[in-house]
Amino acid sequence: MQITASKNDIIVNDITSFDLAKTLECGQVFRYEQNEDRSYTVVSSDKAAKISQNDGVLTFHNMDRDCFESYWRAYFDLDRDYATIKLGIAVDDMIKTAMEHGDGIRILKQNTFEALISFIISQNNNIPRIKKIIQAFCLQFGKKINTPLHDAKEYFSFPSPETLEGLTAEDLAFCKCGFRAKYIADAVKKINSGEVDLSALACLSNEDAMKILMQINGIGPKVANCIMLYGCARFDAFPIDVWIKRIIDKYYGEGFDPARYGQYGGVAQQYLFYTERTGGFSSLTSSQ
DNA sequence: GGCCAGGGCCCAC
DNA sequence: GTGGGCCATGGC
């Protein structure tokens, strides 16, 4: 990987196992949109970036080096060696198919609170609607981002827990998040009171961190694992949603244990999820 | 128009 | 501890 600054852009050359479109559209993040020129605008925390990938070259448009180094480089997990990860998780034919199909997916390093609220909203919901709800939520409670994107659009930060102090379920009626409104209110309340301390998760075992997260009403095992994987960079977290359940039922059967993939089970999970959702396993069942 | 969605809560049993 | 109904809403 080679990183250079050119005019107002940051250019990343010679990067392997990186696919911008798959990484953004594989269901781990909800604040992005594709532009007419095929580039993507990504909003995360209180930052916005316009990014494109052509012929393997990754370009962060109108971005200075400091911004790239202090946020986006880690956000896109650019310094991790996914080739080595893939060697480690390639324990069966299913995951090998998924690795090939999902090649280029990176696990994004998202803000913990943003991931927490986002995945509460995700429950029993579909991705287009999750995106709409989060967008409305940020428009209402976030701050306008001072971006150098020059595209005339406005972008809003993800609000902090402090900003949301006192939030009630009724306050959320505008964003049509339905029964999840009370869950969001409970999360804000418990985080602001210190009952749930997100900054303490890092020094806890997976089991203990899960227990803390699941003290929030509306966070069960699946959402907690998503928060750990996407919001805490814990790569062994293995969220099991309806799609992963489907894979287990169809191909693995009883006795499936995510530990089979080792410390990067979360990456394996993302390859499997993406491949099932996009029909990448269809060749395995077409003969049945 | 009915099924489904990156689930979890609550209550029987 | 586990299985099923229920929860709001809208994408497809």
Side-chain angles (χ1 to χ4, degrees):
Chain A
M1 181 173 67
Q2 187 188 358
I3 299 166
T4 54
S6 167
K7 296 185 212 171
N8 295 321
D9 301 338
I10 300 294
I11 313 286
V12 182
N13 277 295
D14 299 328
I15 183 166
T16 55
S17 297
F18 185 94
D19 187 307
L20 179 64
K22 287 184 198 171
T23 295
L24 292 174
E25 291 179 2
C26 72
Q28 60 177 321
V29 67
F30 307 101
R31 289 212 293 158
Y32 67 89
E33 58 187 20
Q34 189 169 30
N35 303 308
E36 286 183 6
D37 62 0
R38 311 291 293 171
S39 69
Y40 285 88
T41 301
V42 184
V43 188
S44 174
S45 198
D46 60 348
K47 295 167 174 51
K50 183 181 173 185
I51 309 159
S52 59
Q53 184 173 30
N54 293 303
D55 300 325
V57 178
L58 196 58
T59 304
F60 293 77
H61 300 271
N62 297 310
M63 183 178 293
D64 64 54
R65 188 87 191 209
D66 282 349
C67 180
F68 173 77
E69 294 293 346
S70 65
Y71 195 80
W72 297 104
R73 184 169 183 155
Y75 178 83
F76 280 106
D77 208 23
L78 295 183
D79 291 293
R80 200 178 303 273
D81 179 7
Y82 277 71
T84 302
I85 291 176
K86 289 199 276 187
L87 288 176
I89 62 177
V91 295
D92 58 56
D93 289 342
M94 282 297 295
I95 186 61
K96 285 177 187 170
T97 299
M99 272 167 36
E100 198 171 326
H101 191 78
D103 182 42
I105 293 174
R106 300 261 171 157
I107 301 297
L108 298 174
K109 186 183 179 64
Q110 302 180 59
N111 172 270
T112 307
F113 180 68
E114 180 168 348
L116 187 151
I117 299 296
S118 297
F119 281 94
I120 285 177
I121 292 169
S122 78
Q123 70 165 268
N124 199 33
N125 211 341
N126 57 65
I127 291 174
R129 206 165 79 89
I130 297 165
K131 292 178 69 169
K132 283 189 175 175
I133 292 171
I134 295 176
Q135 190 171 21
F137 181 80
C138 292
L139 178 61
Q140 177 78 9
F141 298 116
K143 294 193 178 80
K144 192 176 161 186
I145 296 174
N146 187 12
T147 130
L149 296 184
H150 311 306
D151 63 359
K153 291 183 188 170
E154 293 188 338
Y155 301 96
F156 291 84
S157 68
F158 200 91
S160 66
E162 296 78 20
T163 309
L164 300 169
E165 173 67 36
L167 185 80
T168 66
E170 291 72 31
D171 295 335
L172 291 166
F174 72 93
C175 69
K176 307 288 186 188
C177 56
F179 62 87
R180 308 164 191 85
K182 56 184 179 292
Y183 300 155
I184 296 171
D186 189 60
V188 169
K189 185 180 127 199
K190 285 179 176 154
I191 289 167
N192 278 333
S193 73
E195 189 176 343
V196 169
D197 182 4
L198 298 182
S199 68
L201 296 179
C203 58
L204 298 176
S205 67
N206 277 10
E207 193 184 353
D208 289 342
M210 294 268 293
K211 272 188 199 163
I212 299 287
L213 289 168
M214 286 165 56
Q215 285 176 16
I216 292 168
N217 192 22
I219 297 186
K222 189 271 174 183
V223 170
N225 271 296
C226 285
I227 297 165
M228 305 252 283
L229 179 57
Y230 309 124
C232 301
R234 296 174 83 125
F235 282 73
D236 53 344
F238 195 94
I240 298 180
D241 73 325
V242 292
W243 297 93
I244 296 291
K245 277 197 188 97
R246 214 166 279 159
I247 293 172
I248 295 172
D249 291 346
K250 277 161 72 177
Y251 307 111
Y252 286 98
E254 291 178 18
F256 173 85
D257 184 356
R260 63 195 284 114
Y261 304 116
Q263 62 175 321
Y264 285 105
V267 181
Q269 183 273 359
Q270 200 56 46
Y271 289 144
L272 292 166
F273 173 84
Y274 175 82
T275 304
E276 177 69 7
R277 269 198 86 221
T278 54
F281 289 131
S282 57
S283 62
L284 300 178
T285 52
S286 57
S287 58
Q288 291 181 5

